[in-house]
Amino acid sequence: MSQTEKKGKAAALCPIVVFLVLYVGSGIYYQYVKGENQGFYIMSVVVAFTIALVVALLQNRKLSFQEKLKVMSQGVGDENIVAMILIFLFAGVFSSMAQAAGGSESTAYLLLDILPANQLAIGFFLISCIISMAMGTSCGTISVLVPIAAATAQAADLNLAVLLGAIIGGAMFGDNMSFISDTTIAACNGQGCEMKDKFRENFWIAFPAAAVITVIILFFRGGGGGQVENLSYNIWQALPYFAVLALALLGLNVLLVLGCGILLFTLVGFLTVPGFTVSLVFSSMGQGASGMYETIIVAVLVSALGALMKAYGGFDYILYIIRKYFRGRNGGQLGIAVLSSAMDIATANNTVAIVMAAPIAREISQEYDISPKKTASLIDIFCCIWQGIIPYGAQMLIALGL
């Protein structure tokens, strides 16, 4: 291999630059210049990636158009991408059925009833962690808990900003640790590792930060008494969440876990929710599946784009830069962390950032002998960290809007 081949080609990364200029540039313009609400989400990420893919197709005249299509097809047809798409569909249906059966609210109210009222910030944080792990969605968790927190803060004269920070932090923790989160799905399938292995790797990094550091900070910063009004819940509606968590921890295949969860919530809905009909089940399933369409399309576009950039020498160039500035195995892990962080800060979407970073991170892990489960854990952790911090991320915008 020649020195030129080892260095790769920086020009091969041009489509990513085009994507970032379009997506981030339009977000800055609409959010801060035009003052639009949620300006970073006016331009669809699908549109931005489609334009970037067109740019990639116009590059590298050495390959014919037919050869480029073949490269893209091989990237999209990877077994990890196919598995990811199926899991995304099941996860969307599961989340929608949980909402329809009343599982989200009942779980939140049950946990609020159990936890002591004299440390509500810690209580909301722990509830947010559990619900986000069970639901597999940080945005869904925030949507359920923030209205309750806002009412509680007003009634008990508590610091609303602290409660919101606790909920967002807990939601990102659960999103990072959940077996059915799209971030976990993308990270594990992108590296070809089992979710239970990634969970164990994650646990020793994320759990101490949540259980020790965050709880201590909230104890001193967000303490204070308060009383939550009596909230009605049905314990049967909450049980499927805990059953799904237990099955996932036992190592059952994630598709089977999600399938069991969908069946349990369907059964609970018929038994406990008035007006819960077969037509409602079908419509809820359809809404849940359609809610994942954009994520699935992004996964397809990014895998095709990544395959082209790799064929053009883009990944070799990134590896060359990382070899130049990061030394040894620890340096490789730091390189993955920096790559993941940069992707999330740029895209304001942790799932998209993980899908983008995954193929490059896989090359880095092979170069530096980093295990797939460690790589998946690092990508997911750093993307979720930054997603919970950036003020223009969906999680922050939803919380502030509510």
Side-chain angles (χ1 to χ4, degrees):
M1 183 178 289
S2 68
Q3 189 64 25
T4 303
E5 289 175 321
K6 287 182 180 178
K7 286 185 177 181
K9 293 182 179 179
L13 301 175
C14 181
I16 290 295
V17 176
V18 170
F19 166 78
L20 294 177
V21 169
L22 283 173
Y23 191 65
V24 180
S26 67
I28 292 172
Y29 174 75
Y30 286 113
Q31 183 81 32
Y32 299 111
V33 178
K34 298 287 287 184
E36 299 278 354
N37 184 35
Q38 296 194 11
F40 272 83
Y41 296 89
I42 287 178
M43 170 171 273
S44 168
V45 67
V46 172
V47 173
F49 270 124
T50 300
I51 295 171
L53 185 60
V54 170
V55 171
L57 286 169
L58 295 174
Q59 288 182 294
N60 198 343
R61 295 183 180 180
K62 292 180 180 179
L63 291 178
S64 68
F65 186 74
Q66 197 63 36
E67 288 172 326
K68 291 173 183 176
L69 287 178
K70 185 176 180 180
V71 170
M72 291 166 56
S73 300
Q74 290 171 344
V76 175
D78 183 272
E79 61 179 313
N80 293 316
I81 300 297
V82 175
M84 188 192 305
I85 289 171
L86 288 174
I87 296 169
F88 279 154
L89 279 173
F90 272 67
V93 173
F94 170 83
S95 181
S96 184
M97 286 304 302
Q99 294 277 0
S104 304
E105 287 191 356
S106 283
T107 305
Y109 296 164
L110 168 64
L111 293 169
L112 275 172
D113 191 44
I114 295 172
L115 293 167
N118 63 342
Q119 280 294 336
L120 285 176
I122 295 176
F124 273 110
F125 173 71
L126 295 176
I127 293 168
S128 185
C129 289
I130 294 170
I131 292 180
S132 187
M133 280 187 67
M135 291 176 66
T137 165
S138 53
C139 290
T141 300
I142 290 167
S143 299
V144 169
L145 288 181
V146 166
I148 304 171
T152 302
Q154 186 175 9
D157 193 26
L158 297 175
N159 188 324
L160 180 58
V162 172
L163 293 187
L164 293 186
I167 290 171
I168 293 171
M172 299 318 302
F173 169 85
D175 196 2
N176 176 229
M177 296 291 288
S178 175
F179 282 83
I180 59 174
S181 164
D182 48 4
T183 61
T184 298
I185 295 165
C188 291
N189 283 274
Q191 304 308 310
C193 71
E194 294 289 332
M195 292 189 186
K196 60 182 179 180
D197 295 329
K198 182 259 186 187
F199 177 86
R200 294 191 190 102
E201 199 74 27
N202 250 30
F203 182 85
W204 297 110
I205 302 172
F207 183 76
V212 181
I213 299 172
T214 305
V215 169
I216 290 172
I217 290 172
L218 289 175
F219 180 82
F220 291 103
R221 178 70 180 85
Q227 188 62 47
V228 183
E229 60 180 298
N230 291 326
L231 301 167
S232 61
Y233 59 86
N234 187 316
I235 193 168
W236 291 104
Q237 293 174 354
L239 285 179
Y241 272 135
F242 298 104
V244 164
L245 278 176
L247 290 173
L249 289 171
L250 288 172
L252 195 66
N253 180 279
V254 66
L255 286 172
L256 295 177
V257 170
L258 290 169
C260 290
I262 292 167
L263 290 175
L264 286 173
F265 272 121
T266 302
L267 177 62
V268 166
F270 279 119
L271 293 176
T272 64
V273 179
F276 195 88
T277 62
V278 173
S279 62
L280 179 63
V281 171
F282 288 143
S283 63
S284 295
M285 286 182 172
Q287 289 171 4
S290 62
M292 283 292 185
Y293 285 172
E294 183 175 83
T295 303
I296 291 169
I297 294 300
V298 166
V300 170
L301 289 172
V302 171
S303 58
L305 183 62
L308 284 176
M309 290 193 299
K310 182 177 181 180
Y312 297 169
F315 290 6
D316 287 335
Y317 180 76
I318 291 174
L319 283 171
Y320 168 74
I321 295 297
I322 289 175
R323 287 191 206 104
K324 187 175 179 181
Y325 295 103
F326 299 97
R327 305 292 182 186
R329 190 168 180 271
N330 289 336
Q333 293 181 79
L334 181 58
I336 292 171
V338 171
L339 171 69
S340 305
S341 300
M343 290 293 189
D344 189 74
I345 292 169
T347 61
N349 185 310
N350 49 344
T351 304
V352 172
I354 289 169
V355 173
M356 288 174 65
I360 305 173
R362 193 167 190 169
E363 296 286 330
I364 297 171
S365 67
Q366 292 171 355
E367 175 75 17
Y368 287 88
D369 193 27
I370 303 168
S371 67
K373 61 182 180 180
K374 171 66 83 173
T375 305
S377 176
L378 288 171
I379 295 173
D380 200 358
I381 285 172
F382 280 91
C383 285
C384 285
I385 286 173
W386 286 105
Q387 189 65 25
I389 293 174
I390 52 176
Y392 50 88
Q395 289 78 1
M396 191 76 75
L397 293 173
I398 290 170
L400 295 177
L402 289 172

